[in-house]
Amino acid sequence: MAHIIGMVTGSEIESSLKRKGLGEFLQTRFSLTFQVESDSLSEKWTDILALEQLPQIGKPFSGLGSLKGPEAESCRCSSHKLKEVSAIQRNGKWKMLWTIEYSFDSESVESSGGIGGGLGNGTKDPRDWPVEYSFESSSCTEPMLYECGTGKPVINAVGEPIFIETEVVCPVLVVKRYETFSKNQLFHIRRFLKHTNQDAFLGWQPDQVLIDDISSNMKLIHGTPYLETTYRFIFRNDSEMPFAVNILHQGTKARTEPGGEIKTTAEILGKNCTVNLNKDGTINETEVPDLLTFRTYQQATFSELNIVWPTDLSEERLK
């Protein structure tokens, strides 16, 4: 059987910052060259490479007491080059002298200063890669019913509402990650897109978060298809149901008294006109109009998305 004479040389460990998937990672490379003596001239090169003491493709190397540094722990053998040096004679027997150069490469090891989330011991599964979080700003347009700061109703001198539209500032969170490829993504989008949160989500109360957009691109990674999916969340907490529609409670009919008969304004006031209404349907004669609230978006259980804040973005660290 062939045996290893020794390790001829080894390259310096080279590290560089690379971007892979959605995060930055430290890529580590180095090489080792071994000298091997065959048992005979007829010994096959496949038998040489199969020696347990030599590095094996796809596996880390821990033989011959070498590579004790932490840099090599995440590196695996990626390729080898086998070369016949010469035929030699030892103890009256002809043998072949080989040199084998092995290349080692790390498998996406996250740098200490990279994005949070961690990859463990160099996983190739992009679903385990760090999730990307980014923040944007947006606004929603809605009727201005009360003056900002004072809370006074927006009405004219005789108590009639004035119709003004205003913009409400909304923070936006964009989440990008890799997911399992599935043709059911079409139903997944329909299930969550333009829905508000039924349960608490990222610290916000129900109905305060709207999924404004979902987009997915198929990416082939290590021969396996995955979906690079982006979610866009809009956040509002300016009312109990901020994504609902609020309209003035008005009509051309009213009740003569609470629980009373419904009549037209022509019957009650002698003229056909639109009047403000109270919650009980009677005519509202105050300067504070009543509002009707209607839900415009269905709810969905956002917890099923399994989106959480990474630990390095916790409130304690941001203080």
Side-chain angles (χ1 to χ4, degrees), residues 15 43 105 108 132 147 163 174 178 186 213 235 248 251 255 270:
S15 297
E43 194 165 14
D105 200 334
S108 305
E132 184 178 85
E147 184 182 27
F163 295 96
V174 179
Y178 282 98
L186 297 173
D213 186 61
F235 294 77
L248 292 173
R255 293 185 184 275

Side-chain angles (χ1 to χ4, degrees), residues 81-93:
K81 295 179 181 178
L82 186 68
K83 180 181 179 181
E84 293 183 359
V85 178
S86 63
I88 60 174
Q89 191 176 32
R90 191 186 298 275
N91 298 325
K93 187 176 181 181

Side-chain angles (χ1 to χ4, degrees), residues 143-198:
M144 182 176 176
L145 304 176
Y146 298 95
E147 184 182 27
C148 294
T150 65
K152 295 180 181 179
V154 180
I155 55 178
N156 62 18
V158 293
E160 295 177 331
I162 302 173
F163 295 96
I164 303 175
E165 285 192 340
T166 185
E167 285 189 329
V168 178
V169 176
C170 306
V172 176
L173 171 67
V174 179
V175 177
K176 184 183 293 186
R177 67 181 182 183
Y178 282 98
E179 299 176 345
T180 302
F181 176 80
S182 171
K183 62 182 180 181
N184 291 329
Q185 185 73 357
L186 297 173
F187 300 97
H188 175 81
I189 292 175
R190 184 176 181 179
R191 180 182 178 186
F192 289 98
L193 183 61
K194 300 300 180 181
H195 284 60
T196 58
N197 57 318
Q198 185 174 13

Side-chain angles (χ1 to χ4, degrees), residues 279-319:
K279 292 186 183 300
D280 58 11
T282 59
I283 296 177
N284 181 358
E285 298 177 331
T286 71
E287 294 184 349
V288 181
D290 184 45
L291 300 178
L292 295 176
T293 301
F294 296 95
R295 185 185 296 277
T296 54
Y297 297 104
Q298 296 184 25
Q299 292 180 314
T301 307
F302 285 14
S303 58
E304 296 180 11
L305 296 173
N306 295 318
I307 294 176
V308 297
W309 291 120
T311 55
D312 59 341
L313 288 181
S314 65
E315 292 183 2
E316 291 299 322
R317 184 164 182 175
L318 291 176
K319 291 180 179 178

Side-chain angles (χ1 to χ4, degrees), residues 237-309:
N237 60 357
D238 48 287
S239 66
E240 291 185 1
M241 197 180 295
F243 291 102
V245 170
N246 296 305
I247 62 173
L248 292 173
H249 192 183
Q250 295 179 324
T252 58
K253 294 181 180 181
R255 293 185 184 275
T256 55
E257 59 182 2
E261 185 180 357
I262 298 176
K263 294 185 177 182
T264 65
T265 52
E267 293 175 299
I268 299 174
L269 302 175
K271 60 179 179 178
N272 188 18
C273 59
T274 299
V275 295
N276 291 338
L277 299 175
N278 294 312
K279 292 186 183 300
D280 58 11
T282 59
I283 296 177
N284 181 358
E285 298 177 331
T286 71
E287 294 184 349
V288 181
D290 184 45
L291 300 178
L292 295 176
T293 301
F294 296 95
R295 185 185 296 277
T296 54
Y297 297 104
Q298 296 184 25
Q299 292 180 314
T301 307
F302 285 14
S303 58
E304 296 180 11
L305 296 173
N306 295 318
I307 294 176
V308 297
W309 291 120

